[in-house]
Amino acid sequence: MRVNVEADSLNAAVLGPDAEPGGDMYETFLKDVLRDMTQKAGQKCTAIRRVLVPEAHAATVRDDLAEGLKAVRVGDPALEETRMGPLASGAQLADVREGVGKLAAEGKPAFGGAAAIAGKGFSFPRC
């Protein structure tokens, strides 16, 4: 069963306790979360902003999502291999950096960091 929770524009993906790592539902959950994190560089009003999982699977989900993000090529959307392009504006880039800074103060990144990507545009690394 698929569940998407709308909570004051803080959409969540919820992994049920019966969805075991390696199973079909677990794999669908990972695929959906990864797509939502990277589609339109995460800049859509329906983007998942919270991932809720049973505590017993939290480390596995974190590691599997980080592994999936490693395969996402960030860069110029005109290039065939690019799977996630830049943010739309400098203001959005500043907002993302500020948000990542706040998150980093509360915990430790599962993947990536906040270092700028060289070149034109408003690219931000996966994190």
Side-chain angles (χ1 to χ4, degrees):
M1 172 163 95
R2 227 180 220 175
V3 177
N4 186 332
V5 177
E6 166 68 37
D8 193 27
S9 294
L10 295 175
N11 296 327
V14 181
L15 182 68
D18 58 339
E20 292 290 325
D24 289 344
M25 186 54 64
Y26 180 86
E27 295 302 321
T28 298
F29 174 83
L30 285 178
K31 185 173 122 185
D32 286 350
V33 171
L34 284 166
R35 182 191 64 238
D36 216 47
M37 291 172 72
T38 58
Q39 189 177 52
K40 297 184 181 178
Q43 298 179 93
K44 57 182 188 151
C45 62
T46 58
I48 293 171
R49 296 183 188 163
R50 294 182 286 183
V51 177
L52 306 173
V53 300
E55 188 173 352
H57 299 315
T60 302
V61 170
R62 179 200 62 220
D63 293 346
D64 288 345
L65 287 173
E67 191 64 32
L69 286 170
K70 287 178 186 176
V72 177
R73 297 279 304 197
V74 178
D76 182 347
L79 300 176
E80 178 83 23
E81 65 272 9
T82 298
R83 294 292 168 252
M84 187 166 70
L87 296 152
S89 70
Q92 288 176 334
L93 180 59
D95 287 347
V96 169
R97 283 193 174 132
E98 180 182 347
V100 169
K102 287 178 183 178
L103 289 170
E106 297 292 324
K108 119 182 164 181
F111 175 76
I117 294 177
K120 295 180 182 179
F122 307 108
S123 293
F124 191 84
R126 303 156 297 201
C127 64

PDB file of all heavy atoms in Angstrom, residues 15-21 26 52-62:
ATOM      1  N   LEU A  15       7.448   4.506   5.171  1.00  0.00           N
ATOM      2  CA  LEU A  15       7.725   3.096   4.950  1.00  0.00           C
ATOM      3  C   LEU A  15       7.071   2.312   6.076  1.00  0.00           C
ATOM      4  O   LEU A  15       7.385   2.518   7.254  1.00  0.00           O
ATOM      5  CB  LEU A  15       9.236   2.837   4.933  1.00  0.00           C
ATOM      6  CG  LEU A  15       9.663   1.395   4.672  1.00  0.00           C
ATOM      7  CD1 LEU A  15       9.322   0.993   3.229  1.00  0.00           C
ATOM      8  CD2 LEU A  15      11.150   1.229   4.928  1.00  0.00           C
ATOM      9  N   GLY A  16       6.153   1.436   5.720  1.00  0.00           N
ATOM     10  CA  GLY A  16       5.454   0.643   6.729  1.00  0.00           C
ATOM     11  C   GLY A  16       6.373  -0.374   7.387  1.00  0.00           C
ATOM     12  O   GLY A  16       7.384  -0.785   6.812  1.00  0.00           O
ATOM     13  N   PRO A  17       6.013  -0.805   8.580  1.00  0.00           N
ATOM     14  CA  PRO A  17       6.859  -1.745   9.321  1.00  0.00           C
ATOM     15  C   PRO A  17       6.971  -3.120   8.667  1.00  0.00           C
ATOM     16  O   PRO A  17       7.900  -3.869   8.952  1.00  0.00           O
ATOM     17  CB  PRO A  17       6.179  -1.841  10.688  1.00  0.00           C
ATOM     18  CG  PRO A  17       4.787  -1.384  10.462  1.00  0.00           C
ATOM     19  CD  PRO A  17       4.828  -0.413   9.318  1.00  0.00           C
ATOM     20  N   ASP A  18       6.052  -3.446   7.768  1.00  0.00           N
ATOM     21  CA  ASP A  18       6.087  -4.758   7.110  1.00  0.00           C
ATOM     22  C   ASP A  18       6.898  -4.750   5.808  1.00  0.00           C
ATOM     23  O   ASP A  18       7.060  -5.783   5.174  1.00  0.00           O
ATOM     24  CB  ASP A  18       4.677  -5.260   6.843  1.00  0.00           C
ATOM     25  CG  ASP A  18       3.863  -4.300   5.994  1.00  0.00           C
ATOM     26  OD1 ASP A  18       4.220  -3.102   5.931  1.00  0.00           O
ATOM     27  OD2 ASP A  18       2.862  -4.740   5.404  1.00  0.00           O
ATOM     28  N   ALA A  19       7.418  -3.594   5.401  1.00  0.00           N
ATOM     29  CA  ALA A  19       8.219  -3.494   4.170  1.00  0.00           C
ATOM     30  C   ALA A  19       9.677  -3.756   4.523  1.00  0.00           C
ATOM     31  O   ALA A  19      10.385  -2.877   4.997  1.00  0.00           O
ATOM     32  CB  ALA A  19       8.047  -2.123   3.541  1.00  0.00           C
ATOM     33  N   GLU A  20      10.102  -4.959   4.289  1.00  0.00           N
ATOM     34  CA  GLU A  20      11.458  -5.386   4.648  1.00  0.00           C
ATOM     35  C   GLU A  20      12.478  -4.969   3.590  1.00  0.00           C
ATOM     36  O   GLU A  20      12.183  -5.030   2.388  1.00  0.00           O
ATOM     37  CB  GLU A  20      11.506  -6.909   4.793  1.00  0.00           C
ATOM     38  CG  GLU A  20      10.715  -7.441   5.976  1.00  0.00           C
ATOM     39  CD  GLU A  20      11.349  -7.095   7.305  1.00  0.00           C
ATOM     40  OE1 GLU A  20      12.596  -7.055   7.389  1.00  0.00           O
ATOM     41  OE2 GLU A  20      10.597  -6.849   8.267  1.00  0.00           O
ATOM     42  N   PRO A  21      13.669  -4.545   3.993  1.00  0.00           N
ATOM     43  CA  PRO A  21      14.726  -4.244   3.026  1.00  0.00           C
ATOM     44  C   PRO A  21      14.929  -5.411   2.058  1.00  0.00           C
ATOM     45  O   PRO A  21      14.931  -6.568   2.470  1.00  0.00           O
ATOM     46  CB  PRO A  21      15.963  -4.029   3.912  1.00  0.00           C
ATOM     47  CG  PRO A  21      15.385  -3.512   5.202  1.00  0.00           C
ATOM     48  CD  PRO A  21      14.101  -4.288   5.372  1.00  0.00           C
ATOM     49  N   TYR A  26       9.824  -2.211  -0.439  1.00  0.00           N
ATOM     50  CA  TYR A  26      10.985  -1.427  -0.006  1.00  0.00           C
ATOM     51  C   TYR A  26      11.697  -0.816  -1.211  1.00  0.00           C
ATOM     52  O   TYR A  26      12.034   0.374  -1.199  1.00  0.00           O
ATOM     53  CB  TYR A  26      11.937  -2.333   0.787  1.00  0.00           C
ATOM     54  CG  TYR A  26      13.176  -1.634   1.287  1.00  0.00           C
ATOM     55  CD1 TYR A  26      13.159  -0.955   2.501  1.00  0.00           C
ATOM     56  CD2 TYR A  26      14.363  -1.657   0.565  1.00  0.00           C
ATOM     57  CE1 TYR A  26      14.299  -0.315   2.975  1.00  0.00           C
ATOM     58  CE2 TYR A  26      15.502  -1.024   1.030  1.00  0.00           C
ATOM     59  CZ  TYR A  26      15.462  -0.360   2.235  1.00  0.00           C
ATOM     60  OH  TYR A  26      16.585   0.282   2.699  1.00  0.00           O
ATOM     61  N   LEU A  52       9.785   8.939   6.660  1.00  0.00           N
ATOM     62  CA  LEU A  52       9.514   8.290   7.935  1.00  0.00           C
ATOM     63  C   LEU A  52       9.637   6.783   7.761  1.00  0.00           C
ATOM     64  O   LEU A  52       8.964   6.190   6.904  1.00  0.00           O
ATOM     65  CB  LEU A  52       8.110   8.658   8.423  1.00  0.00           C
ATOM     66  CG  LEU A  52       7.814  10.164   8.513  1.00  0.00           C
ATOM     67  CD1 LEU A  52       6.350  10.408   8.843  1.00  0.00           C
ATOM     68  CD2 LEU A  52       8.710  10.833   9.528  1.00  0.00           C
ATOM     69  N   VAL A  53      10.507   6.192   8.556  1.00  0.00           N
ATOM     70  CA  VAL A  53      10.747   4.752   8.460  1.00  0.00           C
ATOM     71  C   VAL A  53      10.804   4.162   9.864  1.00  0.00           C
ATOM     72  O   VAL A  53      11.137   4.864  10.825  1.00  0.00           O
ATOM     73  CB  VAL A  53      12.054   4.431   7.700  1.00  0.00           C
ATOM     74  CG1 VAL A  53      12.017   4.982   6.289  1.00  0.00           C
ATOM     75  CG2 VAL A  53      13.259   4.942   8.432  1.00  0.00           C
ATOM     76  N   PRO A  54      10.514   2.872   9.981  1.00  0.00           N
ATOM     77  CA  PRO A  54      10.674   2.233  11.291  1.00  0.00           C
ATOM     78  C   PRO A  54      12.124   2.348  11.758  1.00  0.00           C
ATOM     79  O   PRO A  54      13.053   2.238  10.956  1.00  0.00           O
ATOM     80  CB  PRO A  54      10.296   0.770  11.023  1.00  0.00           C
ATOM     81  CG  PRO A  54       9.456   0.809   9.789  1.00  0.00           C
ATOM     82  CD  PRO A  54       9.996   1.947   8.977  1.00  0.00           C
ATOM     83  N   GLU A  55      12.316   2.557  13.030  1.00  0.00           N
ATOM     84  CA  GLU A  55      13.658   2.739  13.577  1.00  0.00           C
ATOM     85  C   GLU A  55      14.589   1.577  13.220  1.00  0.00           C
ATOM     86  O   GLU A  55      15.770   1.784  12.934  1.00  0.00           O
ATOM     87  CB  GLU A  55      13.593   2.901  15.093  1.00  0.00           C
ATOM     88  CG  GLU A  55      14.908   3.294  15.717  1.00  0.00           C
ATOM     89  CD  GLU A  55      14.784   3.606  17.191  1.00  0.00           C
ATOM     90  OE1 GLU A  55      13.668   3.665  17.719  1.00  0.00           O
ATOM     91  OE2 GLU A  55      15.839   3.793  17.821  1.00  0.00           O
ATOM     92  N   ALA A  56      14.038   0.379  13.161  1.00  0.00           N
ATOM     93  CA  ALA A  56      14.855  -0.798  12.849  1.00  0.00           C
ATOM     94  C   ALA A  56      15.446  -0.735  11.441  1.00  0.00           C
ATOM     95  O   ALA A  56      16.465  -1.370  11.171  1.00  0.00           O
ATOM     96  CB  ALA A  56      14.010  -2.069  12.999  1.00  0.00           C
ATOM     97  N   HIS A  57      14.836   0.042  10.539  1.00  0.00           N
ATOM     98  CA  HIS A  57      15.314   0.125   9.155  1.00  0.00           C
ATOM     99  C   HIS A  57      15.960   1.474   8.821  1.00  0.00           C
ATOM    100  O   HIS A  57      16.379   1.690   7.684  1.00  0.00           O
ATOM    101  CB  HIS A  57      14.164  -0.111   8.180  1.00  0.00           C
ATOM    102  CG  HIS A  57      13.515  -1.448   8.312  1.00  0.00           C
ATOM    103  ND1 HIS A  57      14.216  -2.629   8.438  1.00  0.00           N
ATOM    104  CD2 HIS A  57      12.210  -1.801   8.340  1.00  0.00           C
ATOM    105  CE1 HIS A  57      13.372  -3.637   8.540  1.00  0.00           C
ATOM    106  NE2 HIS A  57      12.151  -3.166   8.492  1.00  0.00           N
ATOM    107  N   ALA A  58      16.050   2.373   9.791  1.00  0.00           N
ATOM    108  CA  ALA A  58      16.521   3.738   9.519  1.00  0.00           C
ATOM    109  C   ALA A  58      17.928   3.757   8.913  1.00  0.00           C
ATOM    110  O   ALA A  58      18.170   4.441   7.912  1.00  0.00           O
ATOM    111  CB  ALA A  58      16.476   4.577  10.787  1.00  0.00           C
ATOM    112  N   ALA A  59      18.856   3.039   9.475  1.00  0.00           N
ATOM    113  CA  ALA A  59      20.236   3.048   8.965  1.00  0.00           C
ATOM    114  C   ALA A  59      20.304   2.440   7.567  1.00  0.00           C
ATOM    115  O   ALA A  59      21.017   2.955   6.698  1.00  0.00           O
ATOM    116  CB  ALA A  59      21.166   2.296   9.918  1.00  0.00           C
ATOM    117  N   THR A  60      19.542   1.392   7.327  1.00  0.00           N
ATOM    118  CA  THR A  60      19.548   0.750   6.012  1.00  0.00           C
ATOM    119  C   THR A  60      18.965   1.681   4.960  1.00  0.00           C
ATOM    120  O   THR A  60      19.526   1.828   3.867  1.00  0.00           O
ATOM    121  CB  THR A  60      18.748  -0.574   6.057  1.00  0.00           C
ATOM    122  OG1 THR A  60      19.326  -1.419   7.055  1.00  0.00           O
ATOM    123  CG2 THR A  60      18.766  -1.283   4.720  1.00  0.00           C
ATOM    124  N   VAL A  61      17.855   2.337   5.286  1.00  0.00           N
ATOM    125  CA  VAL A  61      17.244   3.285   4.345  1.00  0.00           C
ATOM    126  C   VAL A  61      18.203   4.429   4.061  1.00  0.00           C
ATOM    127  O   VAL A  61      18.419   4.804   2.908  1.00  0.00           O
ATOM    128  CB  VAL A  61      15.890   3.804   4.875  1.00  0.00           C
ATOM    129  CG1 VAL A  61      15.387   4.965   4.035  1.00  0.00           C
ATOM    130  CG2 VAL A  61      14.858   2.679   4.908  1.00  0.00           C
ATOM    131  N   ARG A  62      18.813   4.987   5.100  1.00  0.00           N
ATOM    132  CA  ARG A  62      19.782   6.076   4.921  1.00  0.00           C
ATOM    133  C   ARG A  62      20.907   5.653   3.987  1.00  0.00           C
ATOM    134  O   ARG A  62      21.234   6.366   3.041  1.00  0.00           O
ATOM    135  CB  ARG A  62      20.351   6.495   6.276  1.00  0.00           C
ATOM    136  CG  ARG A  62      21.394   7.614   6.185  1.00  0.00           C
ATOM    137  CD  ARG A  62      22.276   7.686   7.408  1.00  0.00           C
ATOM    138  NE  ARG A  62      23.032   6.453   7.542  1.00  0.00           N
ATOM    139  CZ  ARG A  62      23.255   5.844   8.704  1.00  0.00           C
ATOM    140  NH1 ARG A  62      22.794   6.334   9.833  1.00  0.00           N
ATOM    141  NH2 ARG A  62      23.958   4.729   8.744  1.00  0.00           N
TER     142      ARG A  62
END
